[in-house]
Amino acid sequence: LVLEDKLTELIQEGIDITFRIGGQVPHGVDSFDLLQDHRILAASPQYLLAKGEPKKPDDLRRHHCLSYPGMKAWVLIAAGKQERVNLEHSFHCNTGDFLTQLAIKGVGIIAKSAWSIHSELTLGTLQRILPDHTLGQPSMIRLLTPRREVTPMRVQQVMGLLQRHIQQAAPDLMGVTFS
């Protein structure tokens, strides 16, 4: 089991199964769509009490935004319209789980996949903000496996188990739809 926030080269690293959100499917890999990924904005109730809740995208310019390295702006979409917001007061980290923990501690606002912060939203440690907006277009969450003449039975069984589990869990994860 390898857990990391970087692209894994399945074939070169001898990985049987991986998950990938968005992007192109690499050559020599079989891809199975699991569900659509919608990224939403959230912050802790403490942060919103101290700094105020953004009412429109432009309000984010005055807030601490927690994001990935290289992201200088967020493109928010609502009702088919896009609005680019430059991240003027931001903190960057390459690990999404750490960004989530910072948001829970009241450091700032995150843009994360709805399914990945479902528990925090349900528990109330994070609160969705600008609920009519998503960050960028939805992308697909895929299960990837190296293309082979014959996929080993153990890999087929684990893939089937993962696909069934995600299909069953998807309706509970903030309205995420199964494809």
Side-chain angles (χ1 to χ4, degrees), residues 45-109:
Q46 299 86 344
Y47 176 85
L48 296 173
L49 187 62
K51 303 289 185 181
E53 184 173 343
K55 300 297 182 198
K56 58 188 185 304
D58 194 57
D59 293 345
L60 293 170
R61 297 180 201 281
R62 295 185 302 278
H63 284 271
H64 300 284
C65 297
L66 310 174
S67 193
Y68 291 96
M71 286 190 99
K72 306 252 187 261
W74 285 343
V75 177
L76 299 176
I77 299 174
K81 295 182 181 178
Q82 294 186 4
E83 186 170 343
R84 180 184 170 93
V85 177
N86 291 327
L87 302 181
E88 297 178 17
H89 306 285
S90 60
F91 175 83
H92 300 275
C93 177
N94 68 335
T95 305
D97 289 340
F98 187 69
L99 292 173
T100 300
Q101 291 307 310
L102 288 174
I104 290 169
K105 298 288 185 194
V107 175
I109 297 170

Side-chain angles (χ1 to χ4, degrees), residues 16 18 41 61 64 76 83 101 105 113 128 134 141:
D16 287 318
T18 191
L41 302 178
R61 297 180 201 281
H64 300 284
L76 299 176
E83 186 170 343
Q101 291 307 310
K105 298 288 185 194
S113 298
R128 185 167 181 183
T134 59
I141 300 174

Side-chain angles (χ1 to χ4, degrees), residues 19 34-35 161-171 173 178:
F19 294 95
L34 297 174
L35 53 97
L161 177 75
L162 291 168
Q163 289 169 316
R164 285 189 302 278
H165 177 74
I166 290 170
Q167 184 176 11
Q168 290 171 354
L173 295 176
F178 181 79

